[in-house]
Amino acid sequence: MRLINRIPSRPVAVALAALPFAAVLIAYALGSEIRLAANPQDKLLPAPATILDTAIRLFTQGDRRTGEILLWQDTWASLRRLALGVGIGAAISLSFGMLIGMLPHARRGLSGFVAVLSMVPPLALLPVLFIVFGLGETSKVVLIVIGITPFLIRELSQRVLDIPHEEIVKAQTLGASSGTIALNVVLPQILPRLISAVRLSLGSAWLFLIAAEAVASEVGLGYRIFLVRRYLAMDIILTYVIWITLLAFLIDWALKYLSRRAFPWMEAGL
Amino acid sequence: MSFVTVRDVWQRYGDRSIIERVNLDVAEGEFVSIVGASGCGKSTFLRLLLADERPTRGEIRIDGGEPAREPGRERGVVFQRYSVFRHMTVRDNIVAAESFARFPGRFFGPALRAARARADDTLARIGLAHVAGQYPATLSGGMQQRLAIGQALTARPRVLLLDEPFGALDTGTRLAMHDFLTELRAETNMTVFMVTHDLEEGFKLGDRVLVFDKVRWDPHSPEAFGATITYDFDARDGGIPFQRQLERYPGLAAQAG
């Protein structure tokens, strides 16, 4: 039988999915074991048990001075910035994407500009943002907005153009105005595309968030990682990295679930 | 009495002539089939009738009105594909035919309930009542086209334009759709233009069959000249509209004899 026709059975599929995770864990545990055997004070690869202890401490024990749990504070601060940045970016790109996709005049006027804008490396603008907006929350949120919006606009305007011309003509023959078509034909068909585009852009959104927090901040997941780096606190850094990964995964899964529940027609044909 | 008037219509894209010198008068209630080889401009002519494109020269009027600059409620259309809104249920597709005419394009409260009840009547008439709550993608090709025709007719257009509406259907479904369309026509007496590549279908359904072809041909630049109407058949009564006059009006026989 050809390799391309071999399909794993259910238990084999589960085992295959778990395999890379297990391999990485084992490799790390072995490496840590070897280094700690040579030098019990080694900080580079703390034992998995140490990381687990640290994680439990970070999640449950408050700061000795203030009694507040720093990890949760960092999480809320970061998630708030991320939600604001992605939300504002999505709102801007939805309106501009629909304008560019629907109106030939807007398309002529804006699509070239957006194409050039999306080539500006957002991180290079970070100093400008700090100068203009100060070191507070605004500059971090604006960095995320600037980072993801050009991509989202290009993606969404293209998806608007992908709507079959027949459907737009049909709506016109039913007497629909431009506004009615935007509201009843384009918007409902583009919303699931917005969600999937946002899912794609979340990776870069996290990147910009952590970069902005690393440079100047007082609280936040990225800030904490770069703070404890000075003490070589690998156990804390790894806990934070795993926590960020888990958060990103959960957000992605939630968006996918939302898209499925809210737009059943997307999968009606399958 | 000319209901749809086409006067000296030309259409060219850049140097490419698609159709040229098209003149046509169609009476209200006529069913016009348009046939021709691929790329002969029959779909372009339908888009001109639809006002999705404006002709390079000439004009098209419906009932003596101003030539249209964009598609509107006067002209209903059914395409081969994508003729219904895939994000709306079957019932809401019919409701859209009423609600789209006024911003914001939606009914609320009692108006919505009334429109949905009317839509259910329409769906019962076109045999789609059992799938009213489903999305079009779950329907077969024939059911989707029936929905598209029902939706177009709900808006009460003055002219119905069909662009190869049954082109993607299998033979059995296609025959059923012919009966469906013939019935609807008997009810509404709508003026219909149908583009098809199936000659038999054209003659079976049409009162007239127009053939598009190129009359001028430059072998060195095949795109220099466009197609025009080369034949205009009277297709009533299976293509022999006058041969059976005596059977229909026996009184004439006495006079002739």
Side-chain angles (χ1 to χ4, degrees), chain B residues 55-69:
Chain B
T56 321
R57 241 164 81 180
E59 57 184 34
I60 298 173
R61 292 173 191 271
I62 292 181
D63 204 10
E66 277 301 300
R69 298 175 59 208

Side-chain angles (χ1 to χ4, degrees), chain A residues 173-225:
Chain A
T173 64
L174 300 180
S177 62
S178 303
T180 306
I181 294 175
L183 217 58
N184 295 287
V185 182
V186 176
L187 185 64
Q189 297 210 17
I190 217 66
L191 278 179
R193 309 291 183 188
L194 174 69
I195 291 183
S196 58
V198 162
R199 283 176 63 195
L200 281 177
S201 69
L202 269 175
S204 30
W206 275 104
L207 168 76
F208 297 129
L209 174 71
I210 290 170
E213 286 180 345
V215 176
S217 188
E218 284 153 3
V219 63
L221 295 166
Y223 161 73
R224 196 69 56 195
I225 290 179

Side-chain angles (χ1 to χ4, degrees), chain A:
Chain A
M1 206 170 165
R2 289 180 187 82
L3 284 176
I4 54 169
N5 290 328
R6 292 188 186 203
I7 296 160
S9 64
R10 182 85 190 146
V12 176
V14 172
L16 281 174
L19 191 64
F21 293 101
V24 168
L25 273 180
I26 291 168
Y28 179 86
L30 282 177
S32 158
E33 189 74 31
I34 294 166
R35 283 190 71 98
L36 287 173
N39 171 18
Q41 299 301 312
D42 181 68
K43 292 197 113 181
L44 214 58
L45 297 181
T50 317
I51 298 179
L52 193 66
D53 285 346
T54 310
I56 292 169
R57 184 169 56 78
L58 287 173
F59 274 102
T60 54
Q61 286 182 20
D63 186 61
R64 252 170 295 174
R65 194 154 47 83
T66 58
E68 284 164 344
I69 302 175
L70 287 177
L71 185 128
W72 291 110
Q73 286 188 335
D74 291 337
T75 306
W76 296 135
S78 288
L79 284 183
R80 191 168 156 270
R81 291 165 188 154
L82 192 75
L84 270 175
V86 172
I88 294 171
I92 294 175
S93 51
L94 184 63
S95 6
F96 275 90
M98 281 181 63
L99 278 178
I100 292 172
M102 289 187 70
L103 307 178
H105 277 89
R107 188 148 64 239
R108 287 283 173 200
L110 289 174
S111 66
F113 180 66
V114 172
V116 171
L117 209 61
S118 65
M119 296 300 153
V120 177
L123 278 179
L125 290 179
L126 188 55
V128 179
L129 298 181
F130 280 141
I131 293 167
V132 175
F133 296 108
L135 298 177
E137 295 297 295
T138 318
S139 53
K140 299 176 188 67
V141 172
V142 171
L143 178 70
I144 298 177
V145 173
I146 289 181
I148 64 172
T149 303
F151 160 76
L152 284 177
I153 292 179
R154 291 180 80 180
E155 171 74 14
L156 285 182
S157 54
Q158 190 51 50
R159 294 284 90 81
V160 173
L161 287 170
D162 286 347
I163 294 175
H165 183 61
E166 285 92 333
E167 275 190 46
I168 306 291
V169 171
K170 180 79 180 205
Q172 294 181 57
T173 64
L174 300 180
S177 62
S178 303
T180 306
I181 294 175
L183 217 58
N184 295 287
V185 182
V186 176
L187 185 64
Q189 297 210 17
I190 217 66
L191 278 179
R193 309 291 183 188
L194 174 69
I195 291 183
S196 58
V198 162
R199 283 176 63 195
L200 281 177
S201 69
L202 269 175
S204 30
W206 275 104
L207 168 76
F208 297 129
L209 174 71
I210 290 170
E213 286 180 345
V215 176
S217 188
E218 284 153 3
V219 63
L221 295 166
Y223 161 73
R224 196 69 56 195
I225 290 179
F226 277 79
L227 182 74
V228 300
R229 176 193 59 123
R230 298 177 198 162
Y231 316 116
L232 265 176
M234 282 294 279
D235 48 347
I236 298 181
I237 295 178
L238 287 176
T239 305
Y240 267 77
V241 169
I242 294 169
W243 177 232
I244 291 172
T245 311
L246 189 68
L247 285 175
F249 183 80
L250 283 177
I251 294 171
D252 186 64
W253 181 86
L255 286 174
K256 193 164 114 186
Y257 181 78
L258 173 73
S259 175
R260 272 195 174 160
R261 288 302 299 269
F263 311 107
W265 57 270
M266 281 287 282
E267 296 179 41
L270 303 177

Side-chain angles (χ1 to χ4, degrees), chain B residues 2-11 19-26 45 48-51 53-69 75 193:
Chain B
S2 174
F3 183 62
V4 178
T5 317
V6 180
R7 283 290 166 269
D8 193 33
V9 162
W10 297 58
Q11 181 69 325
I19 54 179
E20 58 181 36
R21 291 179 301 168
V22 173
N23 287 287
L24 183 66
D25 290 289
V26 173
F45 183 59
L48 290 171
L49 286 170
L50 181 60
E53 289 175 17
R54 266 69 57 199
T56 321
R57 241 164 81 180
E59 57 184 34
I60 298 173
R61 292 173 191 271
I62 292 181
D63 204 10
E66 277 301 300
R69 298 175 59 208
R75 303 147 158 87
F193 289 83

